[in-house]
Amino acid sequence: MTFDELRALFPSAQGCVHLNHAGTSPIAQPVADAVNAVTHDLMSDDPFLAYRNHMKRQETLRAAFGRMMGVPPSTLAFTRNTSHGLAIAADGIPFSAGDNVVVSGTEYPANVYPWMAQGHRGVETRLVPAREGGLVSEEDLVTACDDRTRVLAVSWVQWGTGQRMDLARLGAFCRERGILFVVDLVQGLGALRVDLSALRVDLAAAGCHKWLLAPGGLGVLYVRPGVLPLLRPTNIGWNSVVDSIDWDRIHFDLRPDSQRFEEGTPNLLGTAALHASVSLLEAVGFDAVEERILALAARIRGGLAARGYRVLSPDHPGARSGIVAFRHPTLPNDAVLAALTERRVIAAVRAGNVRFAPHAYNNEADVDAAMAALPS
């Protein structure tokens, strides 16, 4: 599938320039059609047809995520959102009183509150301050760890600046020290390629309403096989056990893989939508999607610099992402956002910056229109 063919599937692209995929993405027509197909099944004489179709669709989707994330499908569980996945991780880790968790002080709350919630177990959450411009130093994170650090938790891509973290360095450090490495993937998954196995990530979570181009309400959790026996499932339901549809047999043999965390009735509509959106991304090609997004982000950075705006997002290789954060030299962020909104350019103000986040169906004309809409 070409980028132009992908663009034609997004009704929103005909009426506005959407550059807020780091917030909430519009959905494509095939995604809406997939949801409607499930509702049609649910209105039929045999509504259980929707569940039978779901079971096949879910495993196809799990395999696609395995290809996207560089991990076996059996290591993946579907969740409600990023927060849900990180809460499963935080609540399930066998902490002891006096342990600590190291996180950046600029993390999105989804990757802070689940760790703070472990305070009742005597666990300290250490917030490491960012450096100038809101950028996070991997060295500062490493330095904050000690012999009681149980977890280092970071976002792959920082929500406020778009900084892509060096997961390879942090993963190697954690594995050497016996620290669990937990990653919030939500601001990169669907936009950037990742191989969690090679990066030595132990646990990772993401929601699907941003770069994965699906509606909210569904997420994915990765649990490294070596970590699975350590992680205590805190939400147990009928679907957590082997032979889960044999409802007449009561037993407590948990599934031997990450699917033990899929405790109950699945999200039929969300799975259908996500299956459709991931199929679109895979039809374009994950490598091509990343290349396109980074090229558009580079065009945005160049346009902003030419207009005298201050770009906060890092520009060196390895730290770039699809997010470009910036500020006007004198105008407040809200004034910049209002000017963009008036010209039907959809952006956001986050963490003290204006934020653009293009996707693969955007094009150079979209970027140029956004630049023209910026106040001087």
Side-chain angles (χ1 to χ4, degrees):
M1 180 181 290
T2 68
F3 296 124
D4 287 342
E5 289 170 336
L6 179 65
R7 181 182 180 85
L9 299 175
F10 283 84
S12 62
Q14 313 310 313
C16 72
V17 175
H18 191 95
L19 296 177
N20 188 28
H21 298 91
T24 298
S25 290
I27 63 172
Q29 188 62 53
V31 177
D33 293 342
V35 173
N36 290 336
V38 176
T39 61
H40 184 271
D41 288 344
L42 290 170
M43 290 189 296
S44 71
D45 294 340
D46 180 16
F48 200 74
L49 174 64
Y51 288 87
R52 291 195 295 271
N53 289 336
H54 164 85
M55 286 185 279
K56 293 182 289 186
R57 185 183 297 118
Q58 180 173 261
E59 296 318 305
T60 302
L61 180 60
R62 201 187 308 272
F65 269 102
R67 293 188 293 273
M68 189 189 306
M69 300 166 73
V71 297
S74 61
T75 62
L76 301 173
F78 291 109
T79 61
R80 296 191 299 271
N81 45 53
T82 311
S83 296
H84 184 206
L86 292 173
I88 289 172
D91 292 341
I93 292 171
F95 288 110
S96 298
D99 287 344
N100 66 72
V101 177
V102 172
V103 300
S104 164
T106 58
E107 285 290 325
Y108 189 75
N111 197 25
V112 179
Y113 296 159
W115 309 112
M116 286 184 166
Q118 308 312 311
H120 73 96
R121 293 202 268 170
V123 178
E124 174 194 3
T125 300
R126 295 182 174 177
L127 299 178
V128 179
R131 296 194 178 185
E132 183 180 359
L135 299 182
V136 179
S137 164
E138 287 90 355
E139 184 62 34
D140 291 347
L141 293 173
V142 166
T143 301
C145 297
D146 59 23
D147 59 0
R148 293 305 304 270
T149 301
R150 191 78 167 104
V151 172
L152 173 59
V154 301
S155 288
W156 178 24
V157 174
Q158 294 294 314
W159 70 295
T161 63
Q163 177 188 4
R164 190 190 327 192
M165 303 299 295
D166 187 348
L167 298 188
R169 177 186 178 187
L170 295 175
F173 167 80
C174 288
R175 191 64 57 86
E176 179 183 337
R177 298 293 187 90
I179 297 170
L180 291 172
F181 187 34
V182 182
V183 181
D184 177 343
L185 296 172
V186 74
Q187 290 295 1
L189 194 62
L192 307 172
R193 295 307 308 269
V194 67
D195 185 337
L196 296 182
S197 296
L199 295 171
R200 301 180 181 179
V201 173
D202 292 306
L203 296 142
C208 300
H209 62 291
K210 300 181 186 292
W211 301 96
L212 288 163
L213 302 175
L218 201 63
V220 63
L221 169 69
Y222 163 72
V223 182
R224 184 171 67 84
V227 173
L228 185 66
L230 302 176
L231 205 63
R232 182 177 67 89
T234 53
N235 289 340
I236 295 292
W238 64 267
N239 199 39
S240 300
V241 300
V242 297
D243 300 324
S244 60
I245 60 173
D246 184 0
W247 301 302
D248 293 326
R249 186 171 76 92
I250 300 300
H251 63 92
F252 198 62
D253 299 326
L254 292 177
R255 290 177 182 263
D257 53 27
S258 295
Q259 292 179 53
R260 63 177 58 180
F261 301 108
E262 298 173 5
E263 72 275 9
T265 302
N267 183 341
L268 302 183
L269 300 178
T271 301
L274 183 58
H275 180 272
S277 67
V278 169
S279 296
L280 292 176
L281 293 174
E282 197 158 28
V284 175
F286 297 134
D287 288 334
V289 167
E290 175 178 321
E291 183 178 353
R292 172 76 158 193
I293 289 172
L294 292 179
L296 291 173
R299 189 180 184 93
I300 289 171
R301 284 195 300 271
L304 290 169
R307 287 162 176 77
Y309 281 74
R310 180 188 176 195
V311 177
L312 282 300
S313 299
D315 191 28
H316 54 278
R320 301 169 186 157
S321 73
I323 294 174
V324 181
F326 61 96
R327 297 175 192 165
H328 190 279
T330 58
L331 292 177
N333 291 333
D334 288 345
V336 176
L337 186 65
L340 292 168
T341 303
E342 185 177 359
R343 300 281 291 274
R344 298 187 61 77
V345 176
I346 311 303
V349 173
R350 297 289 187 272
N353 305 316
V354 186
R355 192 179 68 182
F356 281 152
H359 213 299
Y361 71 87
N362 290 118
N363 57 26
E364 291 81 1
D366 285 342
V367 173
D368 295 345
M371 295 300 105
L374 288 167
S376 58

PDB file of all heavy atoms in Angstrom, residues 37 47 51 113 119 158 238 273 296 345:
ATOM      1  N   ALA A  37     -18.848  -4.257  11.411  1.00  0.00           N
ATOM      2  CA  ALA A  37     -19.054  -5.672  11.098  1.00  0.00           C
ATOM      3  C   ALA A  37     -19.310  -6.482  12.368  1.00  0.00           C
ATOM      4  O   ALA A  37     -20.133  -7.407  12.377  1.00  0.00           O
ATOM      5  CB  ALA A  37     -17.841  -6.224  10.350  1.00  0.00           C
ATOM      6  N   PRO A  47     -25.442 -14.199  17.977  1.00  0.00           N
ATOM      7  CA  PRO A  47     -24.445 -13.198  18.379  1.00  0.00           C
ATOM      8  C   PRO A  47     -23.120 -13.805  18.818  1.00  0.00           C
ATOM      9  O   PRO A  47     -22.105 -13.109  18.829  1.00  0.00           O
ATOM     10  CB  PRO A  47     -25.131 -12.456  19.535  1.00  0.00           C
ATOM     11  CG  PRO A  47     -26.196 -13.375  20.016  1.00  0.00           C
ATOM     12  CD  PRO A  47     -26.646 -14.155  18.822  1.00  0.00           C
ATOM     13  N   TYR A  51     -17.974 -13.672  18.842  1.00  0.00           N
ATOM     14  CA  TYR A  51     -16.910 -14.209  19.690  1.00  0.00           C
ATOM     15  C   TYR A  51     -16.048 -15.209  18.926  1.00  0.00           C
ATOM     16  O   TYR A  51     -14.819 -15.231  19.084  1.00  0.00           O
ATOM     17  CB  TYR A  51     -17.512 -14.863  20.938  1.00  0.00           C
ATOM     18  CG  TYR A  51     -18.071 -13.865  21.912  1.00  0.00           C
ATOM     19  CD1 TYR A  51     -19.377 -13.398  21.792  1.00  0.00           C
ATOM     20  CD2 TYR A  51     -17.285 -13.359  22.947  1.00  0.00           C
ATOM     21  CE1 TYR A  51     -19.889 -12.466  22.679  1.00  0.00           C
ATOM     22  CE2 TYR A  51     -17.788 -12.429  23.839  1.00  0.00           C
ATOM     23  CZ  TYR A  51     -19.092 -11.983  23.699  1.00  0.00           C
ATOM     24  OH  TYR A  51     -19.588 -11.053  24.573  1.00  0.00           O
ATOM     25  N   TYR A 113       2.294   6.736  38.590  1.00  0.00           N
ATOM     26  CA  TYR A 113       1.344   6.384  39.648  1.00  0.00           C
ATOM     27  C   TYR A 113       1.321   4.894  39.996  1.00  0.00           C
ATOM     28  O   TYR A 113       1.177   4.544  41.178  1.00  0.00           O
ATOM     29  CB  TYR A 113      -0.056   6.864  39.275  1.00  0.00           C
ATOM     30  CG  TYR A 113      -0.185   8.374  39.169  1.00  0.00           C
ATOM     31  CD1 TYR A 113      -1.210   8.954  38.437  1.00  0.00           C
ATOM     32  CD2 TYR A 113       0.726   9.223  39.797  1.00  0.00           C
ATOM     33  CE1 TYR A 113      -1.334  10.333  38.333  1.00  0.00           C
ATOM     34  CE2 TYR A 113       0.614  10.600  39.693  1.00  0.00           C
ATOM     35  CZ  TYR A 113      -0.420  11.156  38.961  1.00  0.00           C
ATOM     36  OH  TYR A 113      -0.539  12.512  38.861  1.00  0.00           O
ATOM     37  N   GLY A 119       3.826   2.219  47.465  1.00  0.00           N
ATOM     38  CA  GLY A 119       4.298   2.765  48.731  1.00  0.00           C
ATOM     39  C   GLY A 119       3.792   1.995  49.937  1.00  0.00           C
ATOM     40  O   GLY A 119       4.475   1.911  50.965  1.00  0.00           O
ATOM     41  N   GLN A 158       9.639  10.158  25.076  1.00  0.00           N
ATOM     42  CA  GLN A 158       9.095  11.067  26.077  1.00  0.00           C
ATOM     43  C   GLN A 158       7.955  11.892  25.485  1.00  0.00           C
ATOM     44  O   GLN A 158       8.086  12.470  24.406  1.00  0.00           O
ATOM     45  CB  GLN A 158      10.200  11.988  26.595  1.00  0.00           C
ATOM     46  CG  GLN A 158      11.291  11.267  27.366  1.00  0.00           C
ATOM     47  CD  GLN A 158      10.780  10.675  28.666  1.00  0.00           C
ATOM     48  OE1 GLN A 158      10.068  11.329  29.423  1.00  0.00           O
ATOM     49  NE2 GLN A 158      11.136   9.419  28.929  1.00  0.00           N
ATOM     50  N   TRP A 238     -11.977 -16.065  34.709  1.00  0.00           N
ATOM     51  CA  TRP A 238     -12.213 -17.367  34.084  1.00  0.00           C
ATOM     52  C   TRP A 238     -11.263 -17.634  32.923  1.00  0.00           C
ATOM     53  O   TRP A 238     -10.926 -18.787  32.634  1.00  0.00           O
ATOM     54  CB  TRP A 238     -13.664 -17.471  33.613  1.00  0.00           C
ATOM     55  CG  TRP A 238     -14.043 -16.497  32.521  1.00  0.00           C
ATOM     56  CD1 TRP A 238     -14.598 -15.268  32.678  1.00  0.00           C
ATOM     57  CD2 TRP A 238     -13.890 -16.689  31.104  1.00  0.00           C
ATOM     58  NE1 TRP A 238     -14.796 -14.657  31.458  1.00  0.00           N
ATOM     59  CE2 TRP A 238     -14.377 -15.519  30.473  1.00  0.00           C
ATOM     60  CE3 TRP A 238     -13.403 -17.726  30.311  1.00  0.00           C
ATOM     61  CZ2 TRP A 238     -14.376 -15.356  29.089  1.00  0.00           C
ATOM     62  CZ3 TRP A 238     -13.402 -17.568  28.924  1.00  0.00           C
ATOM     63  CH2 TRP A 238     -13.887 -16.392  28.328  1.00  0.00           C
ATOM     64  N   ALA A 273     -11.175  -3.275  15.641  1.00  0.00           N
ATOM     65  CA  ALA A 273     -10.627  -2.002  15.179  1.00  0.00           C
ATOM     66  C   ALA A 273      -9.108  -2.050  15.111  1.00  0.00           C
ATOM     67  O   ALA A 273      -8.493  -1.624  14.118  1.00  0.00           O
ATOM     68  CB  ALA A 273     -11.079  -0.881  16.112  1.00  0.00           C
ATOM     69  N   LEU A 296       8.866  13.463   7.822  1.00  0.00           N
ATOM     70  CA  LEU A 296       7.929  14.564   8.040  1.00  0.00           C
ATOM     71  C   LEU A 296       8.303  15.361   9.286  1.00  0.00           C
ATOM     72  O   LEU A 296       8.204  16.599   9.305  1.00  0.00           O
ATOM     73  CB  LEU A 296       6.508  14.021   8.160  1.00  0.00           C
ATOM     74  CG  LEU A 296       5.905  13.433   6.878  1.00  0.00           C
ATOM     75  CD1 LEU A 296       4.558  12.786   7.173  1.00  0.00           C
ATOM     76  CD2 LEU A 296       5.757  14.499   5.790  1.00  0.00           C
ATOM     77  N   VAL A 345      -5.575  23.126  11.739  1.00  0.00           N
ATOM     78  CA  VAL A 345      -4.378  22.320  11.983  1.00  0.00           C
ATOM     79  C   VAL A 345      -4.482  21.816  13.418  1.00  0.00           C
ATOM     80  O   VAL A 345      -4.532  22.608  14.360  1.00  0.00           O
ATOM     81  CB  VAL A 345      -3.086  23.131  11.787  1.00  0.00           C
ATOM     82  CG1 VAL A 345      -1.865  22.285  12.151  1.00  0.00           C
ATOM     83  CG2 VAL A 345      -2.989  23.627  10.348  1.00  0.00           C
TER      84      VAL A 345
END
